[in-house]
Amino acid sequence: MIDQAPGTILIVDDDPVFLDLLRSYVRACNLPFVEAHDGQEALDKLREERFALVISDLQMPGISGLDLLREVQEHFPETGVIIITGYGDPHSYTEVIQSGAIDFLAKPFFRDELEAKINRALREQRLINEMNSLVKTMEQQLAEKNATIGEVRAQLRETAEKVKQLQARTVLTTYGPHRIR
């Protein structure tokens, strides 16, 4: 079974038979999912709803799996992508991973293999999102501290100016204007 309630998965494939297989595998993992029949439909659904993970075929007409991966990375960076490819596909594992996919599956595969990859991908994506949230929090705290430091510096400058003015008055009062040269 999958670690936690992970969020919805978007499954994408232009082959109805393989999409049906993906649907049955993801359903057997007790995961919520939405399906798209091509890359464009997947992008439309991504614009409408937030997904934890996209599982997409690599070779599709129009918007390919790699094109979809690039769009997801650019516009939906909190969403991970697993790419699926058929035997003999010219794209290598290395190319897909270097393009930003969390993982890669070669057809044919078994349900437990898909489940293991989904589990790892969701866990990794959750950790990435937590890390990004922590970084944002730290950046906000740093900005607040820098603002406070800026305010303290301004107050110190103002106080230093008042001290200078007070010193000048003290000198004038003590020695009078005719003794200062």
Side-chain angles (χ1 to χ4, degrees):
M1 282 314 259
I2 300 301
D3 282 344
Q4 294 181 312
T8 305
I9 295 174
L10 176 60
I11 57 176
V12 188
D13 201 308
D14 62 312
D15 179 350
V17 173
F18 194 75
L19 187 60
D20 188 50
L21 179 66
L22 263 179
R23 182 184 311 118
S24 68
Y25 280 4
V26 173
R27 187 176 286 131
C29 295
N30 293 316
L31 295 168
F33 68 91
V34 173
E35 58 189 66
H37 300 89
D38 58 43
Q40 185 58 57
E41 184 181 355
L43 283 175
D44 293 342
K45 290 182 184 286
L46 281 159
R47 289 182 187 110
E48 296 169 5
E49 184 177 343
R50 183 173 177 205
F51 293 94
L53 184 65
V54 173
I55 302 172
S56 176
D57 187 26
L58 182 63
Q59 296 295 330
M60 296 184 291
I63 297 174
S64 72
L66 276 180
D67 294 334
L68 180 60
L69 169 61
R70 289 182 193 107
E71 289 290 319
V72 168
Q73 284 186 308
E74 183 176 341
H75 300 289
F76 313 98
E78 71 285 350
T79 302
V81 179
I82 294 176
I83 295 290
I84 299 173
T85 186
Y87 175 77
D89 196 300
H91 298 282
S92 70
Y93 173 85
T94 304
E95 180 183 5
V96 170
I97 297 302
Q98 286 177 343
S99 294
I102 285 182
D103 215 330
F104 178 92
L105 265 170
K107 296 175 189 175
F109 54 85
F110 295 103
R111 184 184 66 80
D112 60 343
E113 184 180 6
L114 176 64
E115 184 175 356
K117 290 189 181 267
I118 290 172
N119 197 9
R120 189 189 64 71
L122 291 172
R123 184 175 53 248
E124 182 178 314
Q125 204 56 34
R126 186 178 67 248
L127 291 172
I128 288 169
N129 291 341
E130 286 175 10
M131 183 188 69
N132 288 338
S133 176
L134 288 172
V135 166
K136 284 180 184 176
T137 299
M138 290 172 65
E139 286 173 345
Q140 288 172 344
Q141 289 174 347
L142 182 61
E144 289 169 5
K145 288 188 186 315
N146 284 340
T148 301
I149 289 170
E151 290 170 12
V152 168
R153 283 185 180 154
Q155 289 172 353
L156 285 173
R157 283 188 205 108
E158 186 179 311
T159 302
E161 188 59 37
K162 287 179 182 177
V163 168
K164 283 182 189 177
Q165 291 171 5
L166 186 57
Q167 285 174 335
R169 281 191 219 137
T170 302
V171 167
L172 285 174
T173 304
T174 305
Y175 298 105
H178 58 303
R179 292 192 173 170
I180 299 177
R181 293 181 194 189

